[in-house]
Amino acid sequence: MPVFRSQRVVLPDGIRPACVHVADGKIATITGYQKGPGDYGEATIMPGVVDTHVHVNEPGRTEWEGFRTATESAAAGGITSIVDMPLNSVPVTTTLKAFETKREAARGQLYVDVGYWGGVVPGNVGELSKMVAAGVLGFKCFLIDSGIAEFGWVAEPELRPAMEELARAGAPLLVHAEVAGPMPAHVEGDPSKYATYLKSRPRASENEAVALAARLCAETQARTHIVHHSSSDALETLREFKHKAPLTAETCPHYLHFAAEEIPDGRTEFKCAPPIRERDNREALWRALEEGVLDMIASDHSPCAPNLKSGDFEKAWGGVSGLQLALPVAWTEARKRGFSESDLARWMCAAPARLAGLQNRKGSIAVGFDADFCIWRPERSFTVDPAKLHHRHKLTPYAGQEFFGVVDAAVLRGEIVRFDDPPRGRELLR
Ligand SMILES: [Zn+2]
């Protein structure tokens, strides 16, 4: 029976020396530390990271990213489970038929385990329960133009019946929380300046959208999750509603690391929506994570072909590419603020597993769980060399930056992931 040993094993009740015994890909027992084969010494053994926000883009926009490159990047970054977003693939995952097409495209290409979110769009409420029965883990919706014509946005009249349906099905609704109302029709200023872009997507758009989602969550009691939360003003709404409604929220490494004041002009690899905001906003997001108002950190890896990232913030495609770096970026900032690997495991392993309904299999080093581990060195640093990223395209705002947290290996069901081996990842179906 393989054993994974280390002086630093991140267990649900703390970090300590331990031996994790694996049988048939699952954790069989956890015992006190003893010397023997499979000893990782001072390296930390943490649960494999669960990233519930990845845009794989295959089929249809495979030239942006695909299952093979995305899952390789994930494994190289210590992530052992990802959940794919229903856009920007073609077709978008908004029907049962499209879901089957997506599964077909993924076959034989997965280096880590992959689950799927479906989409709620105008007119597809009849598809939702069928998709749940087929294994979709939950659904994403937009309250504003998604940038993809066939992935339409929904407003309260469409949202309420969809949420009632999802409450019955017990599946979560993930909300892109921005509404168009408070957005200026046109912003004066140089489109190559980040400040001009930031003005075009004000906090008010997010605040209003979070308020709408929270209110409908309380009314329908459908599990509701705010994706890529950026506006610190809207944290108060989360704080208020979390007590009376099944409401959760995530933020992303780029909001926790960068600050609007520091983004160079013309560098559209930093463009995402909602935008990266000011320094004080970033600090408020960290306090919210500490307090539990924000539950988790997800990458929102959303790459595109590099030619769509011109120097013009108005025209460039939005999305930050950073799947392989999500753990070191989040850890570097967490470490600076005095948080431990246990905090990180709560935000990047246990909480996302719960969102995806995988809380009995993934996200913890506990008996009966899949033996998925991230083996890494939190005190070792490295400089990001884009050539070493497994992402299909190497353009990333993290290029050349230094981070703590070197990932030695990803372990999937008791075996180290190696890219020379045939892929062993499985689908995560409901
Ligand atoms: Zn996204």
Side-chain angles (χ1 to χ4, degrees):
M1 181 187 310
V3 183
F4 291 82
R5 305 161 204 268
S6 152
Q7 296 300 321
R8 295 183 66 76
V9 181
V10 182
L11 298 168
D13 57 350
I15 301 170
R16 61 172 188 266
C19 294
V20 184
H21 304 253
V22 175
D24 299 327
K26 290 188 184 296
I27 298 169
T29 50
I30 299 164
T31 57
Y33 176 81
Q34 277 187 316
K35 275 194 174 9
D39 197 334
Y40 289 88
E42 296 292 322
T44 295
I45 301 183
M46 191 172 87
V49 173
V50 178
D51 189 345
T52 49
H53 196 147
V54 181
H55 295 265
V56 176
N57 302 332
E58 184 171 5
R61 283 193 182 82
T62 312
E63 72 274 18
W64 290 11
E65 189 67 282
F67 280 105
R68 183 171 295 262
T69 44
T71 56
E72 277 191 23
S73 311
I79 300 163
T80 51
S81 299
I82 64 171
V83 187
D84 173 54
M85 279 293 168
L87 71 167
N88 315 310
S89 54
V90 184
V92 292
T93 321
T94 53
T95 62
L96 179 60
K97 191 161 176 285
F99 177 50
E100 296 306 337
T101 305
K102 170 83 80 171
R103 292 181 64 187
E104 189 60 44
R107 195 154 299 153
Q109 299 206 73
L110 309 181
Y111 277 94
V112 300
D113 287 355
V114 176
Y116 307 94
W117 300 123
V120 167
V121 294
N124 82 332
V125 73
E127 293 285 324
L128 305 182
S129 63
K130 287 188 271 178
M131 292 172 76
V132 169
V136 164
L137 299 175
F139 295 84
K140 159 98 171 276
C141 73
F142 275 73
L143 307 180
I144 193 172
D145 183 5
S146 71
I148 299 285
E150 65 273 26
F151 200 99
W153 56 280
V154 288
E156 194 165 341
E158 294 102 14
L159 209 44
R160 184 176 286 106
M163 289 174 81
E164 285 164 352
E165 178 79 357
L166 294 185
R168 278 191 292 273
L173 179 72
L174 283 63
V175 181
H176 177 118
E178 284 183 299
V179 290
M183 280 184 193
H186 179 71
V187 176
E188 289 301 321
D190 181 349
S192 75
K193 290 204 178 306
Y194 187 75
T196 310
Y197 175 62
L198 185 56
K199 266 185 242 154
S200 76
R201 302 194 88 108
R203 292 185 194 204
S205 293
E206 247 193 291
N207 304 344
E208 220 175 89
V210 171
L212 169 64
R215 178 164 57 77
L216 289 178
C217 173
E219 187 189 311
T220 62
Q221 290 293 310
R223 285 173 61 203
T224 305
H225 177 75
I226 308 295
V227 291
H228 48 50
H229 190 105
S230 170
S231 168
S232 61
D233 296 348
L235 294 169
E236 195 45 51
T237 307
L238 296 181
R239 193 176 283 117
E240 180 194 337
F241 276 85
K242 285 189 88 152
H243 297 293
K244 52 189 176 196
L247 182 65
T248 55
E250 80 196 20
T251 191
C252 308
H254 39 278
Y255 302 126
L256 295 168
H257 173 64
F258 295 119
E261 297 90 332
E262 295 156 15
I263 296 178
D265 294 334
R267 297 278 299 276
T268 54
E269 62 268 38
F270 289 86
K271 178 180 175 179
C272 56
I276 296 162
R277 304 190 188 279
E278 302 79 355
R279 219 172 271 130
D280 64 330
N281 188 86
R282 175 183 67 195
E283 296 313 310
L285 296 179
W286 273 109
R287 288 192 295 275
L289 275 169
E290 180 170 22
E291 200 188 328
V293 168
L294 291 174
D295 302 83
M296 67 188 84
I297 303 171
S299 72
D300 193 10
H301 177 67
S302 188
C304 63
N307 64 339
L308 299 175
K309 289 283 198 186
S310 68
D312 182 325
F313 277 101
E314 202 181 307
K315 297 199 180 89
W317 181 262
V320 166
S321 177
L323 179 60
Q324 192 175 324
L325 301 167
L327 170 67
V329 172
W331 169 242
T332 300
E333 295 293 336
R335 178 184 174 277
K336 209 188 280 182
R337 292 168 178 80
F339 296 108
S340 72
E341 296 105 307
S342 291
D343 297 308
L344 202 69
R346 181 159 44 90
W347 298 324
M348 299 189 81
C349 308
R354 204 177 309 127
L355 172 68
L358 303 167
Q359 67 275 13
N360 298 320
R361 297 166 61 185
K362 304 286 190 188
S364 284
I365 299 182
V367 172
F369 278 57
D370 286 355
D372 295 351
F373 311 128
C374 167
I375 302 178
W376 63 300
R377 295 170 199 269
E379 291 309 309
R380 194 169 288 183
S381 63
F382 68 103
T383 301
V384 176
D385 172 2
K388 290 188 178 149
L389 299 173
H390 293 254
H391 306 157
R392 170 144 297 157
H393 299 291
K394 311 307 175 190
L395 185 71
T396 175
Y398 302 112
Q401 299 208 8
E402 194 180 354
F403 294 105
F404 281 94
V406 171
V407 175
D408 288 345
V411 175
L412 184 66
R413 280 185 296 277
E415 283 180 55
I416 290 178
V417 178
R418 296 183 209 280
F419 304 131
D420 296 337
D421 295 346
R424 289 186 297 109
R426 292 182 190 164
E427 290 183 306
L428 298 167
L429 301 178
R430 222 179 124 83

